[in-house]
Amino acid sequence: MLRVIVRRLLQLVVTLIALSALIFIWLRNLPGGPVDALLGERATPETRALLTKALGYDQPILVQYGKFMQRILTGDFGNSIRTGDPVTEVIGRAFPATVELALAAMIIAVGLGVPLGYLAARWRGRFLDNLTIAGTLLGISIPIFFLGYLLKDVFTQNIHWFPPSGRVSTGIDNTNVTGFFVLDGLLTREFDAAADALWHLLLPAITLATIPLAVIVRITRASVLDVLNEDYVRTAEAKGLRHRTIRGRHILRNALLPVVTAIGLQTGALLSGAVLTEKVYNWGGLGTLITDSISGSRDYPVLQALILLAALVFVVVNLLVDLSYAFIDPRVRVR
């Protein structure tokens, strides 16, 4: 296991170095470039030349890349062009909102997806199986922004079950400890604030969970169907083992590897920023930060940090998935 962890960490370092090089090249070849983005309408040949020299863009490319990597390694991504605040602070304010939304969505997707996929496989060809297949096809096919506006119209405008947008209601005093509003309310014993944050969280989380839920259901169903045809399952049934034992030890445990892979990929994607869902519900996470950094302001320092953060999230999630394989299937530890 230690060898696996070390190998994955080395892959993480190589991935981030390669991605940093791509970002470095990309930033210097965009139309206008960082200099024009910083100067905006004030750009003149003289001011452009002065800022180019001040930023070190007149130096050899390898020297520029070395300084670029040095700043990244020290956590210095510069200041946001749009707000003037340090990039780490800008992302630090938005990241908890995305994590809270993504984790809530994945709890819904996994909590419903694995049982539904298992039941659909066990009752293959019956009503529940056919209904599940149709539902997952709809969940994958429907555009997320359309579903968001549809749910928002029904549940916030017509029957008023949920608030229309935002993370907390106006007038709610939520002490910000971690940036996760539900957790903050529980930690500070402000249970009204925690309940209000959870109330705001549910509808965006349900919207965001639709695609991961559909993917997990279909992969779980396919994986369980493969395991059901294995000889060890028929042997366990012939021995008269309890159904609970067969389901837990012989079917689900052996069917979980592809399901865990799908969960890891979906989690990494959601943690990188759910742009459309956050825009529909005015959530204020990384997705909103991405669109604000691209449109109009061309906030390159924030964009480069967000790209590196997304890569880091994917690599770390994949590392956790690889480690979970060893606990699910002991044969992985042997290999």
Side-chain angles (χ1 to χ4, degrees):
M1 283 302 299
L2 181 60
R3 186 183 304 173
V4 173
I5 295 174
V6 171
R7 186 165 60 245
R8 291 294 183 269
L9 290 176
L10 290 176
Q11 290 176 355
L12 183 149
V13 172
V14 172
T15 300
L16 292 180
I17 290 175
L19 188 61
S20 69
L22 292 175
I23 294 173
F24 177 80
I25 296 170
W26 171 66
L27 285 177
R28 281 149 183 78
N29 287 278
L30 284 174
V35 172
D36 285 344
L38 286 168
L39 293 175
E41 296 179 355
R42 300 169 298 166
T44 63
E46 293 78 13
T47 57
R48 190 181 291 111
L50 288 173
L51 186 57
T52 298
K53 184 175 182 178
L55 294 176
Y57 291 163
D58 59 336
Q59 297 177 352
I61 195 71
L62 291 179
V63 175
Q64 292 184 45
Y65 181 68
K67 292 183 177 180
F68 175 75
M69 285 298 299
Q70 184 179 8
R71 290 195 301 270
I72 288 178
L73 292 175
T74 57
D76 179 15
F77 292 94
N79 294 332
S80 168
I81 296 173
R82 187 167 53 89
T83 65
D85 297 331
V87 171
T88 51
E89 292 183 9
V90 173
I91 294 178
R93 290 193 294 264
F95 191 54
T98 294
V99 173
E100 189 174 52
L101 178 59
L103 291 181
M106 289 308 300
I107 289 172
I108 295 172
V110 175
L112 294 177
V114 174
L116 279 176
Y118 174 80
L119 293 176
R122 291 292 293 182
W123 297 337
R124 182 180 183 182
R126 300 183 186 179
F127 174 75
L128 179 62
D129 183 31
N130 295 328
L131 181 64
T132 301
I133 293 174
T136 56
L137 182 61
L138 180 65
I140 293 174
S141 303
I142 189 170
I144 196 74
F145 70 90
F146 173 75
L147 178 64
Y149 281 118
L150 178 63
L151 294 179
K152 189 174 178 179
D153 181 64
V154 172
F155 290 104
T156 69
Q157 304 298 328
N158 294 328
I159 60 178
H160 306 288
W161 282 7
F162 297 102
S165 62
R167 299 182 66 193
V168 289
S169 299
T170 304
I172 293 292
D173 184 17
N174 193 327
T175 305
N176 192 344
V177 179
T178 64
F180 304 97
F181 286 177
V182 176
L183 180 61
D184 288 344
L186 296 176
L187 290 176
T188 58
R189 297 184 179 276
E190 298 172 354
F191 298 115
D192 290 341
D196 181 76
L198 183 61
W199 185 41
H200 282 75
L201 176 63
L202 280 176
L203 193 59
I206 292 171
T207 304
L208 189 60
T210 52
I211 293 178
L213 173 61
V215 171
I216 291 170
V217 168
R218 293 180 78 90
I219 291 180
T220 303
R221 177 182 179 274
S223 184
V224 170
L225 285 175
D226 289 339
V227 173
L228 286 173
N229 295 321
E230 294 291 341
D231 291 337
Y232 54 79
V233 174
R234 289 192 290 268
T235 301
E237 292 173 346
K239 287 181 177 180
L241 295 179
R242 290 183 303 173
H243 179 67
R244 180 183 301 177
T245 303
I246 298 174
R247 179 183 61 202
R249 293 185 180 179
H250 299 279
I251 298 176
L252 278 177
R253 190 165 185 178
N254 287 285
L256 273 181
L257 289 184
V259 178
V260 169
T261 302
I263 292 172
L265 291 175
Q266 294 296 321
T267 303
L270 297 188
L271 288 175
S272 300
V275 176
L276 296 177
T277 304
E278 290 187 13
K279 270 298 184 182
V280 171
Y281 293 100
N282 191 26
W283 192 251
L286 293 183
T288 305
L289 184 59
I290 291 171
T291 55
D292 291 343
S293 300
I294 293 175
S295 59
S297 62
R298 293 187 295 176
D299 202 340
Y300 296 134
V302 173
L303 284 175
Q304 71 180 19
L306 287 173
I307 294 171
L308 286 173
L309 176 62
L312 180 63
V313 165
F314 265 105
V315 176
V316 170
V317 169
N318 283 329
L319 173 62
L320 296 177
V321 168
D322 289 341
L323 295 179
S324 69
Y325 287 166
F327 294 98
I328 297 171
D329 189 349
R331 293 172 297 181
V332 175
R333 292 197 293 268
V334 175
R335 292 196 293 265

